[in-house]
Amino acid sequence: MPKIVNARVIITSPGRNFVTLKIECDDGTTGVGDATLNGRELAVASYLADHVVPCLIGRDAHRIEDVWQYLYKGAYWRRGPVTMTAIAAVDTALWDIKGKLAGLPVYQLLGGASREAVTVYCHANGTSIDDTIAAALEYQQQGFRAIRLQCGVPGMASTYGVSKDRYFYEPADGDLPSESVWNTSRYLRIVPELFKAAREALGWDVHLLHDIHHRLTPIEAGRLGKDLEPYRPFWLEDATPAENQEAFKLIRQHTSAPLAVGEIFNSIWDAKDLIQNQLIDYIRATVVHAGGITHLRRIAAFADLYQVRTGCHGATDLSPVCMAAALHFDLSVPNFGIQEYMRHTPETDAVFPHAYSIEGGMMHPGDEPGLGVDIDEELAKGYEYKPAFLPVNRLEDGTMYSW
Ligand code: EZ4
Ligand code: CO
């Protein structure tokens, strides 16, 4: 058996903070797992180093399911983003090791490719509708067939999804949380204008997506869905906070716009009612925050029974290790829908050399054994951790609101 002899928690900040777990076996085989929880990185690093790593030493690296159950049931305190991100890192690293030992890319261990490549959507954003459309046209020319559109809301100093940098999006920006201001009625007026302009400029052969980022009540989301229906959105993401899964019934009663939810979910229990009542069309749970490849496969298998497809979160705070794992999962899973893609900075890409590639809006995990991604630990040492918080959001009268 490949015995686990070492596991290191590596914290590095090549452009942004990442936490990576590297597991090593007695024969020298190593595997990597992403453990990054944006804005709460050190909590997961401590959970791993203090409470997980000591329990891994001496275990059989091949027993992925058993290790998963051990960490989940054995914690007693089940679920939650910190615990599930830590479990995900272990699980991902063990799949990487299994692939390397088998001499096969991980997607082959998951049943093989169900498609030739993975369709991704990219992000077009701008402070105005015109800027956003210009960015979207560029992406369309590069061959992307699915584009997320986010634009500034007039009168608001900053808006979720609109980056300060033209190419690289980074919401975690302060050593204390920065504060933005929100106005729902202005937002509800601008988004249909954006989609109208987008259909005029981009035509109908491209999928258009939008992220509401938990900012609407169910009835407001129903209104927006109705207003966007003429422009055939591919999905509306995180229309309303999803702690109350039943809330989506009200949205469904008012619009046929497809709904996507789940980037902040950490287990199947967050999505159970949404899926079995067919209140959503895409489940956005991802490898790093939802318990790894093992648990994400369970969520996807359950979702498949209800014709709910996958749409993994893929923002820049998910490291290239998570991206690689997501691509192996996406290529294999029967009910794949779409994969989010945001480019990492060159510094991030250099610290995490990877075999995955992108061409014309499609990605492939590559055919290296394992996940085909690693961390250059020497290079990583040069980028020290910097505290960085996600912003908070208030209404104009000062009321705390969802970011
Ligand atoms: O706000 O990844 O769909 N993507 C998103 C992201 C999330 C960040 C949070 O860390 O909503 O931009
Ligand atoms: Co989102």
Side-chain angles (χ1 to χ4, degrees):
M1 76 170 194
K3 198 162 93 177
I4 298 173
V5 292
N6 191 14
R8 285 192 303 287
V9 181
I10 305 157
I11 305 172
T12 181
S13 192
R16 67 155 3 272
N17 293 319
F18 293 111
V19 180
T20 308
L21 180 72
K22 191 162 197 171
I23 296 181
E24 201 180 315
C25 298
D26 53 357
D27 69 347
T29 309
T30 61
V32 285
D34 184 18
T36 309
L37 185 60
N38 203 1
R40 295 290 184 272
E41 294 87 358
L42 300 185
V44 183
S46 155
Y47 192 104
L48 280 169
D50 300 334
H51 308 293
V52 173
V53 167
C55 309
L56 292 178
I57 308 303
R59 280 179 196 282
D60 180 353
H62 268 327
R63 295 181 64 172
I64 298 178
E65 183 67 41
D66 183 65
V67 170
W68 197 96
Q69 298 292 337
Y70 177 85
L71 294 173
Y72 183 81
K73 293 175 179 161
Y76 184 62
W77 311 105
R78 295 183 187 199
R79 305 188 277 146
V82 175
T83 300
M84 296 305 281
T85 300
I87 294 177
V90 176
D91 183 79
T92 307
L94 294 182
W95 278 105
D96 191 21
I97 288 170
K98 196 183 277 299
K100 286 178 183 172
L101 292 175
L104 290 170
V106 167
Y107 75 81
Q108 295 291 14
L109 307 179
L110 305 178
S114 288
R115 54 198 55 79
E116 300 308 317
V118 172
T119 302
V120 299
Y121 71 91
C122 62
H123 286 224
N125 62 78
T127 45
S128 67
I129 289 178
D130 287 350
D131 288 354
T132 308
I133 301 298
L137 279 167
E138 268 182 50
Y139 285 120
Q140 193 181 31
Q141 275 149 23
Q142 289 165 25
F144 285 95
R145 285 178 262 172
I147 307 176
R148 189 184 95 160
L149 303 172
Q150 308 289 142
C151 77
V153 176
M156 305 280 99
S158 64
T159 310
Y160 162 76
V162 180
S163 56
K164 289 165 210 127
D165 186 292
R166 176 106 172 68
Y167 284 103
F168 303 106
Y169 176 68
E170 182 46 73
D173 60 357
D175 47 13
L176 283 174
S178 62
E179 301 215 353
S180 42
V181 178
W182 180 249
N183 180 312
T184 297
S185 49
R186 286 188 192 182
Y187 168 77
L188 286 177
R189 284 198 304 272
I190 191 94
V191 184
E193 301 284 313
L194 172 65
F195 270 68
K196 182 168 189 277
R199 282 298 177 210
E200 279 162 13
L202 304 162
W204 295 85
D205 262 353
V206 58
H207 294 306
L208 301 179
L209 296 75
H210 182 70
D211 192 349
I212 298 168
H213 221 249
H214 328 270
R215 302 282 175 85
L216 297 177
T217 64
I219 200 67
E220 288 164 352
R223 170 81 262 157
L224 182 61
K226 261 189 194 171
D227 289 348
L228 293 181
E229 275 173 27
Y231 313 113
R232 300 289 188 270
F234 181 87
W235 79 28
L236 297 185
E237 177 184 339
D238 286 335
T240 202
E243 287 97 326
N244 175 15
Q245 299 182 38
E246 259 182 52
F248 284 75
K249 272 189 197 157
L250 189 54
I251 307 177
R252 277 290 206 225
Q253 283 164 12
H254 292 278
T255 181
S256 64
L259 302 175
V261 182
E263 69 182 36
I264 67 170
F265 289 177
N266 53 72
S267 88
I268 196 165
W269 300 102
D270 292 326
K272 181 174 165 283
D273 298 352
L274 285 169
I275 291 171
Q276 73 185 8
N277 295 314
Q278 293 180 293
L279 298 179
I280 57 172
D281 302 282
Y282 296 91
I283 177 71
R284 282 185 43 73
T286 193
V287 173
V288 58
H289 300 136
I293 293 172
T294 297
H295 195 62
L296 198 57
R297 286 181 89 203
R298 197 156 282 142
I299 295 174
F302 179 61
D304 194 28
L305 301 179
Y306 299 93
Q307 299 185 50
V308 173
R309 289 184 281 169
T310 68
C312 288
H313 189 203
T316 45
D317 48 292
L318 287 72
S319 91
V321 176
C322 178
M323 193 65 194
L327 290 171
H328 286 274
F329 167 83
D330 294 338
L331 198 66
S332 68
V333 73
N335 53 326
F336 167 76
I338 202 163
Q339 167 69 49
E340 182 178 21
Y341 166 74
M342 282 174 100
R343 63 173 80 75
H344 284 114
T345 63
E347 292 81 7
T348 299
D349 282 333
V351 166
F352 297 96
H354 51 259
Y356 64 75
S357 57
I358 179 157
E359 209 193 311
M362 307 291 284
M363 293 186 81
H364 196 283
D367 280 304
E368 280 186 18
L371 294 173
V373 61
D374 206 347
I375 179 163
D376 181 332
E377 292 186 62
E378 276 314 304
L379 202 55
K381 276 183 196 150
Y383 298 103
E384 207 181 317
Y385 168 79
K386 287 192 287 296
F389 280 87
L390 289 170
V392 298
N393 200 24
R394 290 185 191 275
L395 299 181
E396 284 160 302
D397 68 359
T399 306
M400 270 308 301
Y401 203 62
S402 303
W403 175 64

